[in-house]
Amino acid sequence: MGMANAGDTTRLSTDVYAHRLRDAAAGAAAAGLSGLIITPGYDLRYLTGSRAQTFERLTALVLPADGATPTVVVPRLELAALRESAVPELGVTVRDWVDGEDPYALVAAALGAGGVGTATGDRPATAVTDSMPALHLLPLADILGRVPVLATDVLRRLRMIKDESEIDALRKAGAAIDRVHARVPGFLVPGRT
């Protein structure tokens, strides 16, 4: 576990993210969901290390609950944003798209038949991150044939139990603040504000 490499302090090792993706898909399955759709924000960062920030054009991690390979749907213009994440090393399928193509159809295809509406209406729900803009939620609901639910419960359960890399990061943060607090008395001088 630990950091991705000596010069990279922005994300954890690829193994940490691979474990999180497996756990998220299993959590979705246990919740009776067809999968998770995660747009840029803290959930995408937690699951892949990606700091992508696209909002106008859809970027989404699609995690089918059946354990199929995850897919990242991303505008071609934003592909570079994935380079610093663990995505290139995770074996995740990357489906880029350009204006004029339908990224929501790519998401539906990545979910597989279990996520798309059927005539009987007995399909499981798909869950989305709570930071997904309505700009993307509404077209997804339309193509999936059902309004998605929030992935908050599934993802919250993952975050409750810290892995070794998270515990190490918390120790380092605690040690850093302890060093700051130890130096504060030296800064306190009568008359200084």
Side-chain angles (χ1 to χ4, degrees):
M1 299 208 173
M3 301 314 282
N5 61 52
D8 181 1
T9 59
T10 60
R11 68 174 178 89
L12 303 170
S13 75
T14 302
D15 292 341
V16 170
Y17 296 110
H19 184 74
R20 288 176 180 178
L21 289 175
R22 283 190 303 272
D23 286 352
L33 300 167
S34 62
L36 306 176
I37 303 171
I38 310 297
T39 51
Y42 53 87
D43 291 325
L44 186 63
R45 187 173 308 133
Y46 176 79
L47 292 170
T48 67
S50 174
R51 296 183 180 272
Q53 295 189 8
T54 62
F55 296 102
E56 180 181 307
R57 292 180 174 89
L58 180 69
T59 294
L61 168 66
V62 182
L63 273 170
D66 65 6
T69 301
T71 299
V72 174
V73 174
V74 61
R76 191 166 295 156
L77 292 169
E78 303 296 333
L79 275 171
L82 295 179
R83 287 192 190 120
E84 298 299 319
S85 73
V87 168
E89 301 161 20
L90 284 169
V92 171
T93 301
V94 176
R95 295 290 316 269
D96 64 321
W97 62 278
V98 296
D99 288 343
E101 294 179 335
D102 184 356
Y104 308 104
L106 296 175
V107 168
L111 274 173
V116 180
T118 63
T120 61
D122 59 355
R123 69 219 169 267
T126 302
V128 299
T129 185
D130 60 11
S131 62
M132 180 182 283
L135 173 71
H136 301 309
L137 178 64
L138 296 176
L140 277 171
D142 187 48
I143 201 162
L144 297 176
R146 181 176 185 171
V147 175
V149 298
L150 292 177
T152 307
D153 288 342
V154 171
L155 296 174
R156 181 181 9 196
R157 285 187 187 104
L158 294 180
R159 288 195 176 102
M160 282 182 182
I161 300 172
K162 303 300 181 205
D163 60 36
E164 285 302 315
S165 62
E166 291 170 303
I167 292 168
D168 184 52
L170 289 168
R171 279 189 193 116
K172 287 176 182 175
I177 197 64
D178 287 346
R179 288 189 302 274
V180 169
H181 283 254
R183 293 183 64 199
V184 167
F187 297 128
L188 298 176
V189 177
R192 182 186 292 171
T193 60

